[in-house]
């Protein structure tokens, strides 16, 4: 199985540049990796000690941030290297101030793993959630570099728990410790003989809980909303538009809507605008406009959604109407805002749990979305009660970062610099 994996990876490494010209994301994926080793040679200071954090994309980066923030505060000696697998993660966070070096992760070949680790020589490696790369993990183990999986989440249908999954089980065995989100994940790891686990929870709860302590004031949002009930639809895809736009166009309720599409390409924005029949404006065209005279504000920028959620009376979180994957429901929930999502959420335990608690609603059709939204808009008591459940859900699940930091502070290398 290992030979097949390595062969497949090598084939992908050679084939990707050939097909990248037909796909923008693949082009970023391949072009970005061409300069990885050159950048590392230029930016890594061999006299410094680095902690390496690897995240697949934006969501995993958000899970890493609370730990990075605490390390920067408690162990300032260490430098931080962050790698991304996806272009969406790297392109959006390549200049983040908390990291000393940010780059793509080279493809998982043995040659790349050896060269990468020889350059970086990390003191420790942190992989986030479900990033399991066998050659990197094997090389880390050979070099005696302590490796942690943080906010790990496992499901019984994954290859690690199948009869034919021996190769990937061996990859998992290279981790020194697993910090997992839930009891099911811990039990699954124990079922394959991995007992080096801590049931810590998800560091995303720590991340979003801190957002409420920040200055979330946005003058444009206050001007636009003008003390009116506000629906924020965040990280939406066309499938989400199918659910929400009919209601937005048809409702007679006094309502302001902020839509933050996941993709802000011009053709996507124009397609969205064609579907809207009410008065709308883009964020980028707000200057010198009377924002309160508009019904819909399209957020054609990145980096503001977390703050915009603080103005929401109702939040729709995109991704689950189709198959792209549910985006972060915890961001609006931390502000005590009731959340509505699409129907494809079965692989997102936080959504399952919040629905069980009645702090989240699922709409499988535009009619269902209309019914739920009308109830939340017209029944303020119901809306506030639901939002209170969502806020309590966040507060009662914080603490994962503390578990990781407690582990680190008990290690000799960290105790020396604390």
């Amino acid at each position: 199985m290992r030979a097949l994996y390595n062969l497949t990876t090598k084939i992908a490494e050679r084939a990707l540049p050939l097909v990248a010209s037909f796909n923008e994301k693949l082009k970023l994926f391949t072009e970005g990796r061409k300069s990885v080793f050159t950048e590392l040679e230029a930016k890594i200071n061999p006299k410094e000690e680095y902690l390496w954090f690897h995240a697949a994309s934006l969501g995993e980066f958000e899970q890493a941030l609370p730990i990075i923030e605490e390390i920067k505060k408690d162990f300032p000696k260490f430098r931080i290297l962050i790698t991304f697998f996806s272009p969406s993660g790297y392109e959006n966070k390549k200049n983040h101030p908390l990291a000393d070096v940010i780059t793509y992760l080279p493809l998982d070949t043995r040659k790349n793993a050896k060269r990468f680790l020889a350059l970086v020589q990390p003191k420790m490696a942190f992989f986030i959630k479900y990033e399991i790369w066998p050659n990197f993990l094997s090389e880390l183990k050979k070099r005696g570099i302590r490796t942690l999986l943080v906010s790990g989440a496992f499901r019984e249908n994954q290859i690690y728990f199948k009869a034919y999954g021996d190769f990937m089980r061996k990859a998992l065995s290279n981790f020194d410790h697993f910090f997992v989100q839930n009891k099911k994940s811990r039990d699954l790891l124990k079922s394959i003989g991995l007992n080096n686990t801590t049931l810590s929870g998800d560091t995303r709860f720590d991340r979003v809980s801190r957002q409420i302590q920040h200055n979330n004031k946005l003058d444009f949002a206050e001007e636009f909303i003008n003390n009116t009930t506000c629906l924020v639809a965040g990280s939406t895809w066309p499938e989400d538009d199918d659910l929400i736009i009919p209601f937005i166009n048809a409702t007679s309720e006094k309502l302001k809507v902020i839509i933050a599409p996941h993709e802000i390409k011009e053709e996507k924005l124009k397609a969205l605008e064609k579907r809207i029949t009410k008065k709308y404006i883009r964020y980028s065209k707000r200057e010198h406009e009377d924002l309160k005279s508009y019904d819909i504000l399209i957020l054609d920028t990145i980096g503001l959604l977390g703050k915009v959620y603080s103005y929401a009376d109702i939040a729709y979180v995109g991704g689950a109407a189709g198959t792209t994957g549910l985006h972060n429901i915890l961001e609006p929930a931390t502000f005590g805002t009731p959340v509505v999502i699409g129907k494809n959420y079965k692989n997102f335990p936080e959504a399952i749990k919040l629905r069980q608690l009645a702090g989240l609603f699922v709409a499988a059709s535009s009619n269902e979305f209309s019914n739920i939204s009308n109830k939340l808009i017209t029944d303020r008591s119901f809306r506030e009660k639901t939002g209170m459940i969502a806020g309590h859900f966040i507060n009662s699940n914080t603490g994962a970062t503390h578990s990781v930091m407690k582990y680190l502070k008990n290690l000799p290398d960290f105790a020396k610099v604390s």
Side-chain angles (χ1 to χ4, degrees), residues 46-228:
K47 296 180 180 179
E48 301 281 6
E49 291 186 317
Y50 288 83
L51 302 181
W52 170 30
F53 286 80
H54 175 63
S57 192
L58 287 172
E60 293 75 26
F61 174 76
E62 293 295 324
Q63 289 173 301
L65 270 182
I67 299 170
I68 295 172
E69 289 171 348
E70 292 300 308
I71 286 174
K72 296 288 277 189
K73 182 176 66 177
D74 292 350
F75 307 109
K77 170 185 175 180
F78 293 117
R79 297 293 171 258
I80 302 297
L81 163 68
I82 297 175
T83 58
F84 286 99
F85 182 76
S86 80
S88 58
Y90 175 78
E91 294 298 329
N92 282 294
K93 299 298 180 182
K94 58 186 176 184
N95 296 313
H96 198 279
L98 278 182
D100 297 283
V101 182
I102 301 178
T103 186
Y104 278 102
L105 180 74
L107 289 181
D108 185 38
T109 66
R110 281 186 282 192
K111 180 180 178 181
N112 284 343
K114 289 178 179 179
R115 187 178 178 187
F116 179 93
L117 293 174
L119 281 170
V120 177
Q121 299 185 47
K123 195 71 174 178
M124 184 178 293
F126 300 75
F127 285 52
I128 311 300
K129 193 175 180 179
Y130 48 51
E131 283 293 277
I132 314 297
W133 297 110
N135 286 314
F136 274 98
L137 289 170
S138 176
E139 191 63 25
L140 284 162
K141 190 73 170 181
K142 288 178 183 177
R143 293 169 181 259
I145 299 169
R146 191 180 296 271
T147 306
L148 311 180
L149 185 72
V150 176
S151 292
F154 294 94
R155 302 185 303 274
E156 57 191 7
N157 63 347
Q158 290 174 308
I159 188 173
Y160 319 110
F161 313 108
K162 302 293 186 181
Y164 52 83
D166 184 61
F167 170 60
M168 292 303 290
R169 283 193 290 274
K170 287 180 179 177
L172 283 183
S173 70
N174 289 312
F175 281 103
D176 289 274
H177 203 83
F178 298 87
F179 292 89
V180 295
Q181 294 186 24
N182 49 54
K183 183 178 182 296
K184 183 176 181 180
S185 294
R186 184 182 64 183
D187 291 344
L188 283 169
L189 289 174
K190 287 186 175 181
S191 74
I192 57 173
L194 298 174
N195 298 304
N196 49 334
T197 62
T198 296
L199 179 55
S200 61
D202 188 346
T203 52
R204 282 187 304 165
F205 286 92
D206 301 320
R207 174 66 177 159
V208 299
S209 70
R210 297 177 185 183
Q211 183 64 42
I212 205 167
Q213 302 168 9
H214 298 167
N215 178 8
N216 294 298
K217 181 178 174 61
L218 295 169
D219 290 338
F220 77 87
E222 293 182 5
E223 180 185 351
F224 168 72
I225 295 168
N226 194 30
N227 297 313
T228 305

Side-chain angles (χ1 to χ4, degrees), residues 16-44:
L16 282 171
L18 300 177
V19 299
S21 58
F22 302 101
N23 184 289
E24 186 176 340
K25 286 187 177 179
L26 278 180
K27 185 176 181 180
L28 288 171
F29 184 93
T30 54
E31 290 295 320
R33 283 170 165 78
K34 287 182 179 179
S35 59
V36 167
F37 292 113
T38 302
E39 289 183 21
L40 290 175
E41 288 169 353
K43 295 178 180 179
I44 293 293

Side-chain angles (χ1 to χ4, degrees), residues 67 70-71 74-75 401-409:
I67 299 170
E70 292 300 308
I71 286 174
D74 292 350
F75 307 109
T401 303
H402 175 75
S403 293
V404 177
M405 294 304 295
K406 182 179 178 181
Y407 174 91
L408 295 180
K409 289 176 181 179

